[in-house]
Amino acid sequence: AKKNGILSMNGFASDQSPKKDKARHWNAFMGIKVPVHTGAEALAKQLDIKFCEDCKEGGANAWISYFHDDAIMVTNGDNPNIIGKENIFHAVDKLFSLEELIFTWEPTFCELSEDQTMGVTMGNYIRKYKISDSFIEEKGKYTTVWKYKNGEWLISMDIGN
C-alpha cells in the first residue's frame, strides 16, 4: 500500500512457538526449523480441513459459521478490510454464488500459542469457476488466525492473496 507516496507494509509478528525444551517435533517454516507440538498441530490442521469440507457443502453459510462476530478478512490492494461476520457473509456469498465453483484449500503449516488459545494455519488454495463461457483458475496462499473462545475455535482473521 502507498502512504504519502511511499510504498509501505504494516504488520505484526510474534513468536508464539513452543519452548525448545518442550518440543517433540520440529517443522520447517520459511526455511527455519521451528518446534511444534505435534498433537496440537494435527488438531489445527484437521479443523482447517473440516472448514474446507463444510464450505464445499454449505457455501457462505458454512464459511461464516467458522468466524467470530468481530472477525476481519484482509483484502488486497487499497480495498478496505471486511470487518464483522455480516459483512464477511455478504462478501463471500458472491464468491460461493459463482457458476461451477470449486474452492479448496489445504493447510501446510500450523502453530498454536503455548497456552493453546490462539492458532495460525497457513496453506495453499485453488479456486475455479466459470464466467460466461470461460473457466477461471486462481491459486494462492492463505493465513488464518484462530482464537479459542467460549469453548470453540473460530477465525478472528483471514488473509489470502
Side-chain angles (χ1 to χ4, degrees):
K2 283 193 176 185
K3 192 173 193 176
N4 298 328
I6 300 170
L7 187 60
S8 65
M9 183 171 85
N10 298 323
F12 174 75
S14 170
D15 182 4
Q16 297 287 325
S17 59
K19 301 296 180 219
K20 288 182 181 182
D21 61 339
K22 295 180 182 176
R24 296 196 185 357
H25 177 72
W26 293 75
N27 200 359
F29 176 63
M30 297 181 73
I32 302 168
K33 290 281 189 177
V34 295
V36 294
H37 291 292
T38 305
E41 178 185 53
L43 291 173
K45 282 185 177 179
Q46 287 174 8
L47 178 61
D48 204 0
I49 290 167
K50 183 175 180 341
F51 175 37
C52 180
E53 293 300 318
D54 287 351
C55 289
K56 286 178 187 177
E57 295 296 318
N61 287 318
W63 178 277
I64 203 65
S65 73
Y66 279 82
F67 281 73
H68 279 287
D69 290 338
D70 59 351
I72 299 170
M73 277 186 59
V74 177
T75 61
N76 60 1
D78 292 333
N79 299 313
N81 292 333
I82 304 166
I83 301 171
K85 209 169 180 175
E86 185 177 332
N87 293 327
I88 293 170
F89 174 81
H90 292 299
V92 298
D93 191 40
K94 293 175 188 173
L95 168 68
F96 283 101
S97 297
L98 290 169
E99 187 178 348
E100 297 186 40
L101 174 69
I102 299 171
F103 185 19
T104 61
W105 60 91
E106 185 174 343
T108 57
F109 174 84
C110 75
E111 190 167 344
L112 286 134
S113 62
E114 192 168 316
D115 67 359
Q116 298 192 359
T117 59
M118 288 194 72
V120 175
T121 53
M122 298 168 58
N124 302 304
Y125 71 84
I126 299 174
R127 201 168 29 222
K128 299 176 186 178
Y129 52 92
K130 186 176 178 183
I131 293 183
S132 300
D133 290 328
S134 299
F135 283 95
I136 309 293
E137 179 176 282
E138 300 170 341
K139 293 181 179 183
K141 298 184 182 307
Y142 72 90
T143 301
T144 303
V145 179
W146 300 81
K147 280 188 191 175
Y148 188 75
K149 188 175 177 182
N150 299 327
E152 65 181 337
W153 284 98
L154 292 173
I155 296 168
S156 64
M157 183 178 291
D158 192 50
I159 307 163
N161 67 352

